[in-house]
Amino acid sequence: MLSFNLKSEDFCRKYALEKINYITIIILGLSIFFRIDLMRTKLREELSKAMKSRDSIRVSTLRLINAAIKDKDISLRNDSSSDGVSDKEILSILAKMIKQRSDSIRQYEEAGRIELAEGERAEVKVIEEFLPEKLTVEEIEKAISKSIESIGANSIRDMGKVMGQLKESFEGQVDFNIVSQKVKEALSN
């Protein structure tokens, strides 16, 4: 009778482990199937809050962000990818929007159109809320040196590889014009 209990106990453990593995696989499959988009959810919630508080600048900026994401979704759908835009791609869209607005601010200021430049600055503030925290100069230099070291870059010809790796890792966290200059300096020394 004692040996029977040990066998049945072993069987129960094995059966329970199998069921746990199946459940884990099902949960992972569902999370992939129902891809949770944290950025989209956050954008929707913020748009709702802005509409309730009647913040017109915030509402229009959030609608512009959603429109840019939807445009990217449509272009990906045409390329036979039905998943849509990932959170990482949303970060690159936001970084692109900030760059566009920064260029517009510069042009408006050169033309003496300060009121339009202020409007663009307000949009930049809203967009920046959804980007990760910016890296400090020290963190940027540390990331550049790590990237150069991991790739084994020794000349300016390797700049594209270094920049590619940095863009993949730090999208939305740094201004890549500054990073590009620093990578040039590091590789030319």
Side-chain angles (χ1 to χ4, degrees), residues 95-157:
K96 183 179 176 184
M97 291 178 79
I98 286 180
K99 185 176 180 188
Q100 290 170 341
R101 277 148 187 79
S102 298
D103 292 343
S104 296
I105 290 169
R106 185 180 44 77
Q107 290 173 357
Y108 287 144
E109 287 176 344
E110 288 173 359
R113 303 292 307 265
I114 304 302
E115 69 281 354
L116 292 176
E118 290 302 318
E120 294 289 321
R121 278 193 190 92
E123 287 184 5
V124 167
K125 270 187 181 174
V126 173
I127 296 168
E128 283 179 339
E129 291 177 21
F130 299 98
L131 290 174
E133 241 181 80
K134 297 283 185 189
L135 296 180
T136 63
V137 175
E138 295 83 27
E139 291 171 327
I140 291 171
E141 289 172 351
K142 188 176 179 180
I144 289 171
S145 64
K146 278 186 181 178
S147 181
I148 289 172
E149 206 173 284
S150 70
I151 291 175
N154 358 340
S155 70
I156 200 79
R157 284 183 275 160

Side-chain angles (χ1 to χ4, degrees), residues 5-21:
N5 286 340
L6 286 176
K7 287 182 181 180
S8 62
E9 198 172 302
D10 288 339
F11 174 77
C12 289
R13 279 191 191 132
K14 183 179 177 185
Y15 182 75
L17 285 174
E18 279 182 24
K19 289 300 176 191
I20 290 172
N21 287 339

